[in-house]
Amino acid sequence: MENRLSLSDVFASNVFCDAVMRERLPKTVYRSLRATIDEGHPLDENIAEIVANAMKDWATDKGATHFTHWFQPMTGITAEKHDSFISMLPDGRIIMEFSGKDLIKGEPDASSFPSGGLRATFEARGYTAWDCTSPAFVKDNTLYIPTVFYSYTGQVLDKKTPLLRSMEALSKQCLRVLRLFGDNETRRVLTTVGAEQEYFLIDRQLFERRRDLLFCGRTLFGAPPAKGQEIEGHYFGSINSRVKAFMQELDLELWRLGVPAKTEHNEAAPAQHELAPVFTTANISTDHNQLIMELMKKTAKKHNLACLLAEKPFAGVNGSGKHINWSLTTDGGQNLLDPGTSPHENAKFLTFLCAVIHAVDEYADLLHVSIASAGNDERLGGGEAPPSIISVSLGDHLTGLFMQLESGGENSLSQDGLLKVGVKSLPRLPRDTTDRNRTSPFAFTGNKFEFRMPGSSISISGPVFIMNTIVAEILSRYADRLEKAEDFESELSSLLAEVSRERRRIIFNGNNYSSEWAAEAKERGLCSFESFVESVPRFLEKKNISALSKHGVLSPAEIESRCEILFENYVSAVCIEALTMISMSRTELLPAALRFKRELSEGIAASCACGLPDAPERVIFESISGIISAFLEDIALLERGMRELEASEDSRASAERCRYGIIPAMRRVRAHGDALEGIVPRSLWPIPTYEDMMFSL
């Protein structure tokens, strides 16, 4: 029966959306709440009781028995504590209650969440506060209330608060610039985001036989299959019926929660797929992406599948990213990164375009910090992923126009008194001026930028709040300068010319995978980090702390805590992988190899007893004996490295030890395990192979 429902009936049916609020709230309460959501007015706590009661009635009509404050701590996933609506009456009966206090504020135990040293373990008190800009929803008979999370002392402990702060900061600076262009009507500028989510699907029974996938989310062993993605037959190919059934149910569940899932297709690698939603505001898009990842895993399980969200679940195979499409839109619906049809509009477009280019160049290191992780170290630079060198692709046509800004082009007033900036072709600049550059980390794609470096498992809040903040910082400098100018038109021309001259090094439209580009980028002095441990310390650079604190996004103490948490998470991820690898090696791979060696030995002995030649068996026997010996030696070295790591107390030092000691040791152990997979018969090999997992559907 559900398949016969119209999409309009299904979409957002479990969301306390605008239509529901308009229907269930008194007009004055509705208008007050909308003013907070749309214009950033302070929340009137006097309306909380009315909103809470309406929300509870709506949720219980949907079958909800509990409510939870849903927040995003620094663990990288969401958190929730469920309370029922039940209140006891003196006569032993119950009523369903939900107060304004329950809606606005919660108090989860903060001691078990990462704080990066902001709180001592025994300092347990933490608070959640209602984020009314993101709609509440019902899922699994529970009312979910999006919230932020902070400590008893008011310091931020979550990923959502910096995002909301950055959106306000960016809107403020955008408005300053828009006023200079004569726009006195726009009241708010919104960061709009669409996050494309890549993922793998494999058979669940195979998944459960791989401890590395169960514990680490990626394979630690695995020889490449005879057929990979070389033929490119999977990309945009016909979707397997089992996968299609999963996608259909996932769409339905997401639509009920108001997530505008739109595009789905097979990706480049076998068993890899992608889902892309419609653009929405950054904070809601962040919530939606968390729901997408959660529901992907739950829905896959229903279909006896496993959803892999790790950045590089299979070595040597296309990794999974999360391409963040980012733009700026006024409350009147104008995209500020959309080329206009008049000189005046194009002057404005070029100003915001230059601000983004300027921000990416000056704060490339901070952008790199926002996407740094152990998983992304394995992905960047290989198999459809951009390299770690940060550059901007504009396309040849727009690049030519950007370069001409240095000479001033035609910088004068047109007959109607509106500003002309650039060259003659600017007033009729088409939206799509180039083919898309899939190798670029940061590419302009018509009326938005696509940031392709983020990994598939992360929350998009980090990259987005960094983008928002660095662009806000550059726009604030532009506004400071232009507001003081005696001649706005002349000063703007000079400003854009300076940006073209000083920031053109970041522009590159070619093949980012080429070795020639790596050498050229080094000559240009572009930002590039080989790994997480080189990138993350840049979080604490003076200019980065200054930008984040100046705009009220993060305080210096909050930045230091986040840096500490990043190091702790990195070390934890590597340690789990190393311990899993040691266990798999000793209890699964080595016993299989020794069993085959014993069979070879018995075969050689039988041949000798019968006077038959044993040359083939002896060659294989000697080969596997050598691999097993080297395997045992490198496992022992890895174990010793782990013991030494345990003695280290400093998180940064531990991260460096992981990067330069543990990870190379793991690669050596893996090489031996993968070599054994190529020798030991399939009948004896104890774990599913890449071929089994990637082609089983």
Side-chain angles (χ1 to χ4, degrees):
M1 290 297 293
E2 288 183 337
N3 292 332
R4 298 179 184 177
L5 292 173
S6 68
L7 181 54
S8 60
D9 291 330
V10 171
F11 191 79
S13 58
N14 285 347
V15 181
F16 194 70
C17 59
D18 183 75
V20 176
M21 290 192 295
R22 191 184 302 113
E23 175 188 346
R24 289 181 175 261
L25 296 176
K27 289 182 180 180
T28 55
V29 173
Y30 170 76
R31 285 196 295 267
S32 176
L33 186 56
R34 285 302 333 172
T36 298
I37 296 170
D38 298 333
E39 302 173 33
H41 290 183
L43 177 66
D44 182 358
E45 295 188 12
N46 294 323
I47 71 170
E49 201 71 36
I50 300 171
V51 175
N53 191 59
M55 196 180 286
K56 181 261 298 179
D57 289 345
W58 169 81
T60 54
D61 287 347
K62 295 284 181 182
T65 56
H66 290 69
F67 69 92
T68 182
H69 277 199
W70 186 60
F71 58 102
Q72 301 175 27
M74 294 298 295
T75 56
I77 57 176
T78 57
E80 54 199 62
K81 180 185 75 170
H82 294 218
D83 290 293
S84 73
F85 290 121
I86 291 176
S87 289
M88 295 296 297
L89 294 173
D91 61 3
R93 292 179 299 158
I94 62 168
I95 58 171
M96 304 289 270
E97 285 189 331
F98 183 55
S99 68
K101 180 181 177 182
D102 291 331
L103 172 62
I104 288 179
K105 187 177 179 181
E107 188 177 334
D109 184 346
S111 63
S112 297
F113 292 105
S115 72
L118 285 177
R119 310 291 320 282
T121 302
F122 64 85
E123 296 174 324
R125 195 180 296 277
Y127 300 109
T128 52
W130 178 33
D131 170 22
C132 64
T133 64
S134 293
F137 55 91
V138 169
K139 180 170 69 74
D140 300 328
N141 296 324
T142 300
L143 171 64
Y144 280 72
I145 304 160
T147 62
V148 298
F149 181 45
Y150 58 97
S151 72
Y152 177 73
T153 52
Q155 292 161 315
V156 177
L157 299 176
D158 71 338
K159 292 176 176 286
K160 188 77 173 290
T161 304
L163 176 64
L164 295 172
R165 290 173 173 175
S166 73
M167 293 173 68
E168 290 299 320
L170 183 53
S171 178
K172 178 181 177 181
Q173 301 307 324
C174 285
L175 289 177
R176 291 179 66 195
V177 173
L178 289 174
R179 297 294 182 258
L180 293 167
F181 280 95
D183 180 350
N184 295 311
E185 296 182 359
T186 298
R187 291 290 175 266
R188 201 173 189 189
V189 175
L190 300 170
T191 312
T192 55
V193 168
E196 303 168 20
Q197 178 71 54
E198 294 178 336
Y199 61 99
F200 281 81
L201 286 177
I202 65 171
D203 187 272
R204 186 155 200 90
Q205 291 179 339
L206 300 178
F207 167 81
E208 290 175 349
R209 289 173 54 198
R210 298 272 321 207
R211 278 190 285 167
D212 46 6
L213 288 178
L214 281 167
F215 298 150
C216 312
R218 74 180 185 100
T219 57
L220 303 176
F221 294 101
K227 176 187 175 183
Q229 61 196 67
E230 300 86 358
I231 300 177
E232 299 178 340
H234 186 71
Y235 188 61
F236 273 37
S238 176
I239 299 174
N240 174 283
S241 58
R242 192 171 168 191
V243 173
K244 184 62 178 176
F246 156 82
M247 289 179 171
Q248 288 176 335
E249 182 170 349
L250 176 64
D251 281 343
L252 190 60
E253 292 300 319
L254 291 172
W255 290 338
R256 286 194 177 107
L257 296 175
V259 181
K262 184 173 178 65
T263 303
E264 54 200 21
H265 59 82
N266 291 345
E267 252 299 334
Q272 189 183 33
H273 313 279
E274 180 181 292
L275 183 149
V278 178
F279 273 60
T280 187
T281 55
N283 59 314
I284 295 177
S285 184
T286 296
D287 287 354
H288 284 176
N289 188 253
Q290 294 292 152
L291 286 171
I292 285 171
M293 291 191 289
E294 177 190 338
L295 288 173
M296 277 181 170
K297 290 191 172 185
K298 286 185 176 180
T299 306
K301 195 170 184 178
K302 290 181 182 179
H303 291 260
N304 200 27
L305 300 169
C307 176
L308 309 181
L309 293 173
E311 283 73 20
K312 200 76 169 178
F314 302 104
V317 177
N318 185 39
S320 292
K322 186 171 291 181
H323 306 159
I324 299 176
N325 295 280
W326 179 94
S327 193
L328 298 169
T329 305
T330 69
D331 52 9
Q334 180 190 12
N335 186 332
L336 297 178
L337 293 178
D338 203 350
T341 57
S342 70
H344 180 74
E345 289 299 313
N346 278 318
K348 185 164 50 177
F349 159 70
L350 279 173
T351 302
F352 285 97
L353 181 76
C354 285
V356 176
I357 294 168
H358 187 164
V360 172
D361 185 35
E362 183 168 338
Y363 292 98
D365 57 345
L366 198 51
L367 273 177
H368 208 289
V369 172
S370 77
I371 56 87
S373 70
N376 227 12
D377 277 359
E378 302 295 326
R379 166 182 169 262
L380 291 178
E384 303 291 333
S388 60
I389 305 165
I390 293 184
S391 63
V392 176
S393 174
L394 294 179
D396 294 338
H397 184 59
L398 194 54
T399 297
L401 299 177
F402 176 75
M403 298 303 185
Q404 289 183 51
L405 290 173
E406 182 180 351
S407 62
E410 289 190 356
N411 297 302
S412 61
L413 290 179
S414 62
Q415 292 181 352
D416 58 6
L418 297 178
L419 181 67
K420 265 189 177 180
V421 177
V423 296
K424 292 180 180 179
S425 60
L426 256 180
R428 296 186 180 277
L429 183 65
R431 174 179 293 182
D432 296 321
T433 59
T434 181
D435 194 4
R436 293 179 65 187
N437 188 337
R438 290 181 59 121
T439 70
S440 175
F442 204 93
F444 186 72
T445 57
N447 61 356
K448 62 185 183 300
F449 280 95
E450 182 182 21
F451 190 23
R452 296 176 59 87
M453 293 182 77
S456 52
S457 68
I458 69 166
S459 165
I460 66 172
S461 60
V464 174
F465 91 69
I466 293 296
M467 283 191 281
N468 290 350
T469 305
I470 63 178
V471 174
E473 169 58 19
I474 300 304
L475 287 174
S476 74
R477 297 182 205 170
Y478 289 5
D480 288 344
R481 176 171 170 178
L482 294 171
E483 286 168 352
K484 298 173 184 176
E486 294 182 3
D487 185 333
F488 171 70
E489 291 82 5
S490 175
E491 192 65 27
L492 179 61
S493 294
S494 298
L495 171 62
L496 298 186
E498 288 176 20
V499 175
S500 173
R501 179 173 60 254
E502 297 172 5
R503 304 298 166 181
R504 59 177 54 198
R505 67 172 187 165
I506 198 76
I507 307 299
F508 181 67
N509 299 323
N511 181 5
N512 285 256
Y513 294 155
S514 68
S515 57
E516 292 81 7
W517 167 236
E520 182 182 338
K522 187 174 182 179
E523 290 182 7
R524 293 190 189 189
L526 295 186
C527 175
S528 176
F529 299 105
E530 291 298 320
S531 72
F532 170 96
V533 297
E534 296 172 6
S535 170
V536 169
R538 299 297 289 268
F539 210 171
L540 302 177
E541 286 287 307
K542 184 177 179 180
K543 70 177 180 67
N544 296 334
I545 293 176
S546 175
L548 289 162
S549 58
K550 170 185 172 181
H551 296 280
V553 175
L554 287 174
S555 69
E558 289 167 345
I559 294 169
E560 290 181 12
S561 75
R562 272 163 166 69
C563 192
E564 181 71 15
I565 290 168
L566 286 171
F567 280 126
E568 290 173 355
N569 289 345
Y570 178 85
V571 172
S572 294
V574 174
C575 286
I576 291 170
E577 290 183 354
L579 293 172
T580 302
M581 173 172 272
I582 291 168
S583 176
M584 290 179 68
S585 299
R586 290 203 176 279
T587 64
E588 294 184 276
L589 274 57
L590 274 170
L594 291 170
R595 190 178 303 117
F596 182 49
K597 181 183 176 182
R598 184 169 60 250
E599 289 183 3
L600 288 171
S601 177
E602 291 170 354
I604 292 170
S607 296
C608 290
C610 298
L612 299 173
D614 63 358
E617 290 92 338
R618 191 170 296 279
V619 169
I620 298 173
F621 180 86
E622 291 173 355
S623 175
I624 198 171
S625 296
I627 295 172
I628 289 172
S629 296
F631 197 15
L632 285 166
E633 182 178 338
D634 281 325
I635 292 169
L637 289 174
L638 178 57
E639 290 171 328
R640 187 173 72 185
M642 291 298 294
R643 289 193 295 272
E644 293 172 352
L645 181 63
E646 289 176 1
S648 177
E649 295 183 359
D650 179 77
S651 60
R652 179 172 177 177
S654 295
E656 291 173 349
R657 190 182 291 272
C658 284
R659 169 62 182 172
Y660 303 117
I662 300 299
I663 290 175
M666 289 174 63
R667 287 174 179 160
R668 292 192 297 271
V669 171
R670 174 172 190 150
H672 302 313
D674 291 354
L676 289 173
E677 184 182 327
I679 297 175
V680 176
R682 290 286 299 271
S683 59
L684 296 179
W685 196 245
I687 59 176
T689 65
Y690 277 20
E691 181 179 321
D692 295 331
M693 292 182 287
M694 295 172 63
F695 296 95
S696 63
L697 300 185

